[in-house]
C-alpha cells in the first residue's frame, strides 16, 4: 500500500504528513482556517467574560488602580508565556498540545513529564470551563432577575450553570464546522460588543469618575492589612481572563497550515485581548456612579449594577445581553478545547476509561464522550458554590494554576534542550531563551500567589480551597503514577505504521 492511502484518495496535505510524522492518523475533521483557530483562543480568553465576572473581586481587592494597571502588566507577562508556548506549538502541532510537547522535549523520563503536564492541563481546562460558564450563569441570573424577578440565589445560579453546560455540550456534539462558524461570529461579537458597551458608558451617563480615581484609587475590602499583598491578589482578575489560549494548540489537528496557524492563534489572541480588554476596563471604571452601591446592589453582580446606575435599567438589559452572549460563546469554545485535550490524553491511555473517552462519533468526527466529560467535570467543580460564597474565586484560581503549570513545563524542557530543540516554521530565534526564562519565573510566582488566602479572617465560608483542589489532583496523579501508570504509560503513543494510519483514516471516511 502506498503512502497515498489508496489510489483513489487525494494526496496527503503537509498537515497530514506532519501529523503522521508525530504518530497520529487524521481522525478529526481538518476544516478550520487560521482565523477560526485564533477565534477559538480569543473567544476563550473572552474579555467580556473574565474581565466582568471577576470585576467585583477586583473592586474589593485593590480597586480601580489594580483593575486598570494590573491588566497591561499581566497582559505583558502573559505574552511572554504565550510566545514561548507558540514556538513549541509550531514544532508539534497536535491536539495533545502541552503534554505531548513535554514528552518529546524531556531529556529523560518523558512519560512522567507528559503524565503530570497532562493532568495539570486537564485540571486547568475543566476549571476554566467551570469558571466561564459559572460567570455566564451569574450574568444570566442578573438579567432574569431584572426582567422576570428570578432572584439571584446560589440555587438559581447553579441551575442556570447546569443548563448552560448542557447547551454547550449539545452544540459541540453537532460537529466542528458549527463550532468554527460560531467562533468566527464570536470574534466580531466581542469586538463590536466592547465598542458598544464602552460607547454607551461614555455617552449616556451624566457624570463620570475622575482620572485620578480611575488610574490611582486603591480599595482594600479583604480584611488584610498589607496593601502590597492585596494589590498582588488583585492581579487574579487579569490573570484569570488571560487563560485558555492553549486552545489554538489543541485545535491544530483540525486547522489548515497548523504549524503556523496554531502559534499565530496563541499570540494574536493575547494581543487583541490585551488591547480590547484595557479599553473595556477603563470605560467601565469611569462609568461607576456609586462604588459602594455597585458592590452592595441587590442583583449581586457589580458590573450589572454599574450598567443600571450609569445608563438606566432599559439599556442596561441590552448591555447585559451583549455580555451574556459573549460569555456563552466563550463557554462553548472552552468545552471544545477541553474535549480535544481529553480526547488526545485518552488516545494515549492516560485517563481512567480512556477507550470510552477517546471514542470518535463517526458522523460528526467529534469526540462526543470527551465533550460530556468536560461539561460534567466543570459542573462538579462549580457545585461547592452552594455552600461556599468564595467558591467562584477559588475556581478561577484553580484554572490559573492548573493551566499555567501545564503551560510552562514544556517551556522549561525546551530551555533545557538548548540547541538540540528543533524549531518549527514559527520560532523566536535568539529571543527564545530570555522569553522562556521570564515565562517560567512569572508562572512560579502566580502559582504561589493564587493559592494564598484571599479574604481575612479565614473561615469555612471564606476559605480558598484552591490548594486542596490542586493537591487532590496532584496527589491522585502522583499516586496513580507510582502505583500503576509508571509501569504502562509510555507517553504519547504512535497509532501505527503509515499503512495503519491510512487504514484508520479510510475507515472514518467510509462512515
Amino acid at each position: 500500500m502506498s503512502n497515498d492511502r489508496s489510489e483513489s484518495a487525494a494526496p496527503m496535505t503537509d498537515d497530514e504528513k506532519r501529523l503522521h510524522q508525530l504518530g497520529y492518523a487524521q481522525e478529526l475533521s481538518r476544516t478550520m482556517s487560521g482565523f477560526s483557530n485564533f477565534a477559538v483562543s480569543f473567544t476563550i480568553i473572552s474579555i467580556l467574560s473574565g474581565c466582568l465576572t471577576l470585576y467585583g473581586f477586583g473592586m474589593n481587592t485593590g480597586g480601580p488602580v489594580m483593575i486598570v494597571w494590573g491588566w497591561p502588566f499581566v497582559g505583558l507577562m502573559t505574552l511572554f508565556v504565550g510566545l514561548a508556548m507558540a514556538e513549541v506549538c509550531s514544532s508539534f502541532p497536535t491536539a495533545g498540545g502541552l503534554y505531548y510537547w513535554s514528552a518529546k522535549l524531556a531529556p529523560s523520563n518523558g512519560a512522567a513529564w507528559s503524565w503530570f503536564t497532562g493532568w495539570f492541563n486537564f485540571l486547568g481546562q475543566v476549571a476554566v470551563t467551570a469558571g466561564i460558564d459559572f460567570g455566564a450563569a451569574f450574568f444570566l441570573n442578573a438579567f432574569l432577575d431584572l426582567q422576570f424577578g428570578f432572584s439571584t440565589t446560589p440555587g438559581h445560579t447553579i441551575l442556570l450553570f447546569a443548563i448552560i453546560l448542557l447547551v454547550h455540550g449539545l452544540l459541540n456534539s453537532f460537529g466542528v464546522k458549527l463550532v468554527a462558524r460560531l467562533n468566527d461570529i464570536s470574534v466580531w461579537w466581542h469586538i463590536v460588543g466592547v465598542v458598544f458597551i464602552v460607547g454607551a458608558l461614555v455617552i449616556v451617563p451624566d457624570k463620570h469618575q475622575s482620572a485620578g480615581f480611575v488610574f490611582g484609587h486603591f480599595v482594600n475590602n479583604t480584611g488584610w492589612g498589607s496593601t502590597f499583598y492585596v494589590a498582588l491578589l488583585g492581579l487574579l482578575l487579569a490573570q484569570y481572563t488571560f487563560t485558555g489560549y492553549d486552545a489554538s494548540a489543541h485545535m491544530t489537528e483540525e486547522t489548515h497550515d497548523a504549524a503556523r496557524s496554531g502559534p499565530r492563534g496563541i499570540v494574536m489572541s493575547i494581543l487583541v485581548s490585551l488591547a480590547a480588554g484595557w479599553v473595556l476596563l477603563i470605560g467601565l471604571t469611569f462609568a461607576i456612579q456609586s462604588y459602594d452601591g455597585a458592590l452592595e446592589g441587590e442583583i449581586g453582580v457589580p458590573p450589572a449594577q454599574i450598567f443600571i446606575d450609569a445608563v438606566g435599567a432599559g439599556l442596561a438589559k441590552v448591555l447585559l445581553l451583549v455580555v451574556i452572549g459573549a460569555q456563552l460563546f466563550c463557554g462553548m469554545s472552552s468545552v471544545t478545547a477541553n474535549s480535544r485535550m481529553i480526547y488526545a490524553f485518552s488516545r494515549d491511555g492516560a485517563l481512567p476509561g480512556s477507550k470510552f473517552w477517546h471514542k470518535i462519533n463517526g458522523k460528526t468526527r467529534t469526540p462526543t464522550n470527551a465533550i460530556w466529560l468536560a461539561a460534567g467535570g466543570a459542573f462538579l467543580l462549580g457545585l461547592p458554590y452552594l455552600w461556599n460564597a468564595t467558591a467562584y474565586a477559588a475556581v478561577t484560581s484553580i484554572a490559573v494554576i492548573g493551566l499555567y503549570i501545564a503551560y510552562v513545563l514544556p517551556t522549561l524542557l525546551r530551555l533545557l534542550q538548548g540547541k538540540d530543540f528543533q524549531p518549527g516554521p514559527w520560532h523566536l530565534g535568539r529571543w527564545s531563551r530570555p522569553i522562556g526564562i521570564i515565562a517560567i519565573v512569572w508562572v512560579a510566582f502566580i502559582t504561589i500567589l493564587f493559592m494564598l488566602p484571599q479574604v481575612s479572617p479565614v473561615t469555612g465560608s471564606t476559605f480558598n480551597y484552591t490548594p486542596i483542589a490542586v493537591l487532590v489532583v496532584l496527589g491522585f496523579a502522583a499516586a496513580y503514577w507510582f502505583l500503576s501508570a509508571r509501569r504502562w504509560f509510555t507517553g504519547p503513543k504512535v497509532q501505527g505504521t503509515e499503512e495503519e494510519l491510512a487504514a484508520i483514516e479510510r475507515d472514518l471516511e467510509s462512515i
Side-chain angles (χ1 to χ4, degrees):
M1 184 179 295
S2 71
N3 288 351
D4 287 341
R5 293 173 287 186
S6 72
E7 292 181 2
S8 60
M12 284 194 295
T13 65
D14 290 341
D15 286 314
E16 291 172 326
K17 290 177 182 177
R18 180 57 181 149
L19 188 59
H20 280 209
Q21 291 169 2
L22 297 175
Y24 298 122
Q26 185 66 60
E27 294 182 301
L28 301 173
S29 177
R30 194 180 290 273
T31 56
M32 296 183 73
S33 65
F35 181 83
S36 294
N37 183 282
F38 150 77
V40 173
S41 284
F42 179 72
T43 298
I44 295 178
I45 290 176
S46 183
I47 52 177
L48 287 172
S49 178
C51 286
L52 298 186
T53 51
L54 275 188
Y55 192 82
F57 175 87
M59 290 179 74
N60 284 315
T61 315
V65 67
M66 291 309 302
I67 291 172
V68 172
W69 292 114
W71 181 264
F73 172 68
V74 170
L76 177 62
M77 302 310 293
T78 300
L79 183 60
F80 286 120
V81 178
L83 286 167
M85 284 175 56
E87 182 176 53
V88 181
C89 177
S90 184
S91 293
F92 306 107
T94 174
L98 310 165
Y99 85 88
Y100 183 97
W101 305 346
S102 288
K104 297 302 180 183
L105 293 172
S108 61
N109 298 317
W113 283 100
S114 174
W115 177 266
F116 286 99
T117 300
W119 275 100
F120 272 114
N121 195 18
F122 175 71
L123 170 66
Q125 287 272 2
V126 171
V128 82
T129 300
I132 292 164
D133 277 356
F134 212 91
F138 273 134
F139 276 74
L140 181 58
N141 206 164
F143 175 81
L144 294 175
D145 190 6
L146 283 173
Q147 188 67 30
F148 305 109
F150 189 71
S151 58
T152 52
T153 65
H156 285 169
T157 303
I158 289 292
L159 174 63
L160 293 172
F161 177 51
I163 293 171
I164 290 168
L165 282 168
L166 176 64
V167 171
H168 286 156
L170 290 171
L171 284 173
N172 273 277
S173 298
F174 292 140
V176 74
K177 286 185 178 180
L178 173 62
V179 171
R181 181 70 57 84
L182 291 172
N183 278 317
D184 291 350
I185 296 170
S186 171
V187 172
W188 301 110
W189 183 284
H190 276 80
I191 292 174
V192 175
V194 167
V195 172
F196 177 63
I197 290 171
V198 173
L201 295 177
V202 168
I203 296 169
V204 177
D206 294 327
K207 70 181 184 72
H208 293 87
Q209 295 291 342
S210 67
F213 175 87
V214 172
F215 295 101
H217 186 62
F218 185 86
V219 176
N220 177 9
N221 292 331
T222 66
W224 296 111
S226 170
T227 298
F228 181 67
Y229 178 65
V230 173
L232 293 180
L233 290 177
L235 297 176
L236 177 61
L237 182 157
Q239 194 64 79
Y240 165 66
T241 306
F242 283 112
T243 52
Y245 47 86
D246 57 315
S248 288
H250 295 303
M251 301 305 293
T252 49
E253 290 187 30
E254 295 160 87
T255 304
H256 296 296
D257 194 18
R260 293 178 178 85
S261 296
R264 288 170 183 160
I266 291 171
V267 175
M268 289 306 299
S269 64
I270 296 171
L271 286 173
V272 176
S273 298
L274 174 57
W278 205 21
V279 171
L280 175 65
L281 289 172
I282 291 172
L284 184 62
T285 308
F286 265 113
I288 295 174
Q289 304 297 299
S290 169
Y291 202 88
D292 292 338
L295 286 171
E296 298 168 5
E298 293 182 4
I299 297 175
V301 180
Q305 192 64 53
I306 293 171
F307 291 163
I308 294 169
D309 295 343
V311 301
L315 183 54
K317 293 175 186 177
V318 177
L319 299 186
L320 273 176
L321 286 176
V322 172
V323 173
I324 292 165
Q327 292 171 338
L328 294 176
F329 279 125
C330 177
M332 179 200 66
S333 294
S334 184
V335 171
T336 305
N338 193 355
S339 65
R340 269 46 174 192
M341 186 272 157
I342 292 169
Y343 155 80
F345 207 31
S346 58
R347 177 172 61 187
D348 295 318
L351 290 177
S354 282
K355 288 184 179 179
F356 181 76
W357 305 123
H358 170 238
K359 190 174 180 181
I360 293 289
N361 184 309
K363 292 183 178 179
T364 62
R365 298 286 290 270
T366 55
T368 307
N369 295 342
I371 288 167
W372 291 110
L373 176 59
F379 179 71
L380 292 177
L381 202 55
L383 272 181
Y385 180 69
L386 287 171
W387 308 280
N388 184 339
T390 60
Y392 181 68
V395 167
T396 58
S397 294
I398 294 166
V400 169
I401 292 168
L403 285 178
Y404 272 87
I405 290 176
Y407 287 0
V408 85
L409 287 176
T411 300
L412 172 64
L413 295 171
R414 181 259 173 275
L415 291 182
L416 292 176
Q417 276 210 342
K419 294 182 179 179
D420 292 335
F421 175 70
Q422 297 295 320
W426 194 102
H427 57 86
L428 299 173
R430 61 191 179 94
W431 294 102
S432 180
R433 184 172 182 80
I435 287 173
I437 291 172
I438 294 171
I440 291 167
V441 171
W442 177 247
V443 172
F445 170 69
I446 61 174
T447 297
I448 297 170
L449 175 64
F450 297 139
M451 283 199 280
L452 299 176
Q454 296 169 339
V455 179
S456 178
V458 178
T459 66
S461 62
T462 63
F463 179 71
N464 179 5
Y465 73 91
T466 301
I468 293 178
V470 173
L471 287 174
V472 165
V473 172
L474 179 60
F476 173 79
Y480 195 6
W481 172 257
F482 287 108
L483 294 176
S484 174
R486 64 189 176 92
R487 290 190 286 271
W488 51 264
F489 182 74
T490 58
K493 296 178 181 177
V494 173
Q495 285 185 299
T497 64
E498 187 70 34
E499 289 76 12
E500 290 168 331
L501 297 179
I504 292 171
E505 291 164 355
R506 278 201 312 277
D507 289 343
L508 283 169
E509 289 167 0
S510 66
I511 297 175

